[in-house]
Amino acid sequence: MGIGRWLIALGVLLILLGLVWLYAPRLLAWFGHLPGDIRIEREGFRFYFPFTSTLLLSLTLSLVFNLLARWFREP
């Protein structure tokens, strides 16, 4: 039964993220344009690596999954 709870929680989280992305795209417009994101643009060449955004996403997902693990932990 534990995996079922995880899948439901992940589905709800994805639905909420999709709704925010669909109906309020300005809330996430800053993502990918943070200081520390590497962007090199030259004629005929474009390189983009969202370093800071990736770190922020990793920290946020770690926090969310740790909170979910504590919440769904079976006694």
Side-chain angles (χ1 to χ4, degrees):
M1 191 151 88
I3 191 75
R5 287 182 178 180
W6 276 103
L7 289 174
I8 290 172
L10 183 62
V12 168
L13 186 66
L14 286 174
I15 288 171
L16 290 175
L17 181 63
L19 288 173
V20 167
W21 205 319
L22 183 64
Y23 293 112
R26 285 188 167 179
L27 290 177
L28 298 175
W30 56 269
F31 190 76
H33 301 287
L34 295 174
D37 290 342
I38 299 170
R39 179 183 302 232
I40 300 172
E41 294 183 15
R42 297 206 171 104
E43 188 174 330
F45 177 75
R46 186 181 303 176
F47 176 76
Y48 179 69
F49 183 71
F51 185 73
T52 307
S53 298
T54 304
L55 287 175
L56 182 64
L57 181 64
S58 176
L59 288 171
T60 304
L61 288 176
S62 294
L63 178 66
V64 167
F65 284 127
N66 279 319
L67 290 174
L68 286 173
R70 289 177 189 233
W71 188 36
F72 286 120
R73 185 172 294 147
E74 309 232 357

